[in-house]
Amino acid sequence: MAFDGSAIQALLDGAVAQGVVHGIAAVVVDRSGPLFHHAAGEADEHTLFRNASMTKAVATTAALQLVERGLLELDATVASILPEFGRLQLLDGFDGDVPRLRAPASAATVRQLMTHTAGLGYFFTNDKLHRWHQLSGEPNVLSGLKRSLHAPLVNDPGTAWEYGVNTDWLGLVVEKVTGHNLGLVLRERIYDPLGMRDSSFMPSEEQSARLLRVMQRQGDGSLAPAELGMPAPSEWDAGGHGSYGTVQDYGKFVQAWLNDGAGLLQPATARLALQNHIGAIQLPAVMKSTEPALSNDVPALPVPQGWGLGFHLTLADLPGMRSSGSADWAGLFNCYYWIDRTKGIAGVLMTQLLPFFDLRVVQTLVGFETAVYQQVGAALPAA
């Protein structure tokens, strides 16, 4: 059955016409390649996007390649590779306006960096860390200053899932093990093999001219040019948030994962990565925002969830949508993807809008995914 993208095209065009977004692009891929692509508004087929946290899965893939080659162990302590990590303290709370710091009770591992259980946080989703930055005057991770990564832990490693700068540290692990900067490793090991020609940490002048501007949702629902949240030029290749690329490039990446890592990893490694690695640790019911201009509160889906090596996992079938075991994540500027290996389908939806988890974009995302499965449900066998 041919894939009819007319409903998705109408949805994306409508999102622009209704003021949901100023520019939007989407791609749908199966194991053989792209099934559908459309861009609307200020976006076209050549538009570049800030991937933000969609960088994480790519950087983690580079680390998994090192595991596969026997150059890195999942349960090695981070401090055994990067001694400076071992000097991080844990923020236990405050005595008045004085941060209360102590040594963490356990040593974080490479696996915990991949699963966001290493104890690290983000200033825009953690109250303690947000206050610590205010009191200390230390830069946050969006400053582009490498010393921002040396903010204290907020949990003892292995005790809780906490979104944070884990993958930035994982990128530094990759650099230490390989002796090369992360951008070069990704170019040689991921971007070039998959033909992701527009993906990098440093777009060229020509690529920068194709970068979609960032807009901010206003209180009345309108859009205005964003003034907050624009990452400064980074002192390091930020594996947690720093890459740029097109929606088609990211489609090639998710296609590789649909195919059990084809072109990147051995099937056994890919399957291992897409298992739940956090055991009894639960994801929070709501990821609370401390910076409303950057992110809204993000509620969890009311279904079982887990975390693999680099990916969020949905551990139940969503009726009319993705299958149990599907991997997904998102980027700060309202970019989203999912990878459904059971049905052999993946989708990527990209905008450049703040704050994250914009309700109207999320409604568009749900409409996009639903329309995809209306097309493929009859065509692809459920395993």
Side-chain angles (χ1 to χ4, degrees):
M1 184 180 77
F3 188 93
D4 178 5
S6 58
I8 302 171
Q9 183 169 332
L11 177 77
L12 302 182
D13 289 343
V16 173
Q18 295 155 24
V20 175
V21 290
H22 58 298
I24 191 168
V27 66
V28 181
V29 302
D30 66 6
R31 291 190 170 97
S32 300
L35 296 175
F36 170 83
H37 168 257
H38 183 62
E42 294 181 18
D44 62 29
E45 62 178 330
H46 304 295
T47 294
L48 224 67
F49 296 83
R50 298 158 187 83
N51 290 325
S53 287
M54 283 170 49
T55 308
K56 289 179 168 68
V58 184
T60 304
T61 301
L64 289 170
Q65 291 173 333
L66 298 179
V67 173
E68 198 170 78
R69 292 161 60 195
L71 300 175
L72 181 64
E73 294 182 4
L74 287 174
D75 295 316
T77 65
V78 183
S80 70
I81 303 161
L82 300 170
E84 60 269 32
F85 188 92
R87 294 192 283 273
L88 297 182
Q89 295 285 288
L90 187 145
L91 178 60
D92 235 357
F94 300 87
D95 296 320
D97 283 341
V98 179
R100 190 167 61 249
L101 298 166
R102 64 167 172 84
S106 54
T109 65
V110 170
R111 187 193 306 267
Q112 289 167 347
L113 289 181
M114 293 183 179
T115 59
H116 292 277
T117 58
L120 298 159
Y122 269 135
F123 76 99
F124 58 91
T125 53
N126 184 279
D127 282 327
K128 284 194 301 186
L129 204 52
H130 189 264
R131 188 176 178 204
W132 179 84
H133 279 289
Q134 289 180 320
L135 292 172
S136 68
E138 282 296 304
N140 66 53
V141 71
L142 296 184
S143 68
L145 299 175
K146 194 172 182 180
R147 79 171 198 262
S148 65
L149 298 182
H150 291 263
L153 307 183
V154 293
N155 299 302
D156 285 309
T159 64
W161 186 91
E162 177 82 32
Y163 199 41
V165 296
N166 301 275
T167 320
D168 288 292
W169 278 102
L170 185 64
L172 299 183
V173 167
V174 170
E175 292 188 340
K176 183 65 175 288
V177 172
T178 62
H180 299 291
N181 68 42
L182 184 61
L184 179 63
V185 174
L186 298 190
R187 168 65 52 210
E188 293 183 348
R189 294 275 173 178
I190 297 176
Y191 296 154
D192 282 350
L194 295 184
M196 297 169 67
R197 294 181 182 86
D198 276 318
S199 295
S200 73
F201 289 104
M202 292 185 64
S204 68
E205 188 174 339
E206 182 273 331
Q207 289 170 325
S208 295
R210 294 189 270 128
L211 189 61
L212 184 62
R213 63 178 176 156
V214 177
M215 300 288 274
Q216 184 96 27
R217 179 81 68 206
Q218 305 299 298
D220 63 0
S222 65
L223 302 178
E227 297 177 3
L228 291 170
M230 302 306 298
S234 182
E235 291 181 346
W236 81 103
D237 290 347
H241 66 267
S243 72
Y244 301 76
T246 61
V247 71
Q248 296 97 325
D249 274 7
Y250 213 85
K252 293 172 181 177
F253 176 73
V254 298
Q255 183 194 340
W257 277 94
L258 272 183
N259 284 308
D260 280 346
L264 300 178
L265 297 166
Q266 296 298 320
T269 308
R271 289 194 289 267
L272 173 70
L274 296 178
Q275 296 171 10
N276 185 26
H277 284 260
I278 62 173
I281 292 174
Q282 297 292 306
L283 272 68
V286 179
M287 199 157 63
K288 298 285 288 183
S289 172
T290 63
E291 289 279 355
L294 280 180
S295 179
N296 294 303
D297 291 348
V298 182
L301 287 170
V303 299
Q305 300 170 82
W307 201 272
L309 302 179
F311 298 91
H312 171 262
L313 303 174
T314 304
L315 301 179
D317 290 331
L318 301 184
M321 299 174 74
R322 69 190 66 173
S323 310
S324 179
S326 293
D328 67 88
W329 203 232
L332 185 68
F333 301 101
N334 281 284
C335 297
Y336 303 87
Y337 70 89
W338 82 92
I339 303 167
D340 182 344
R341 289 159 63 252
T342 299
K343 286 215 168 76
I345 201 80
V348 186
L349 184 78
M350 302 189 85
T351 77
Q352 298 284 267
L353 178 69
L354 290 172
F356 177 65
F357 209 74
D358 178 83
L359 181 58
R360 296 180 71 189
V361 175
V362 171
Q363 290 169 340
T364 303
L365 172 68
V366 171
F368 170 52
E369 184 172 340
T370 302
V372 169
Y373 283 91
Q374 286 173 345
Q375 281 294 307
V376 305
L380 296 169

